[in-house]
Amino acid sequence: MSEQKINDGGPAFPTLDNTEHWRHLGVSIRDYFAAAALTGSLAASHTDGEPEEFADVAYIIADAMLERRKR
């Protein structure tokens, strides 16, 4: 069974190395968007619920943000 690669948007904070090639350091744009969505969701609402549910919603929002970037 082949798994479809998730579009993670690439690196959130790429840097040039000494050979002028981009390096991926740390988090992807998808993870960055999900973390921001999760922070906002938790700050704006009560925290009743399962952590997995909050994480699922954060990645749904992150994926929507990545789709919106294509426009």
Side-chain angles (χ1 to χ4, degrees):
M1 180 174 138
S2 68
E3 293 185 28
Q4 184 177 1
K5 182 179 180 329
I6 294 174
N7 173 14
D8 67 5
F13 306 105
T15 60
L16 284 174
D17 64 15
N18 60 356
T19 64
E20 300 298 315
H21 290 97
W22 289 105
R23 293 189 309 161
H24 184 297
L25 294 177
V27 67
S28 69
I29 292 173
R30 183 175 186 251
D31 289 336
Y32 182 77
F33 284 168
L38 181 60
T39 300
S41 293
L42 292 175
S45 68
H46 56 83
T47 57
D48 293 341
E50 296 299 317
E52 294 82 6
E53 293 171 359
F54 286 102
D56 288 343
V57 169
Y59 277 102
I60 289 168
I61 293 169
D63 290 340
M65 292 172 72
L66 286 170
E67 282 300 312
R68 181 56 64 136
R69 290 178 81 218
K70 292 179 183 178
R71 294 183 183 183

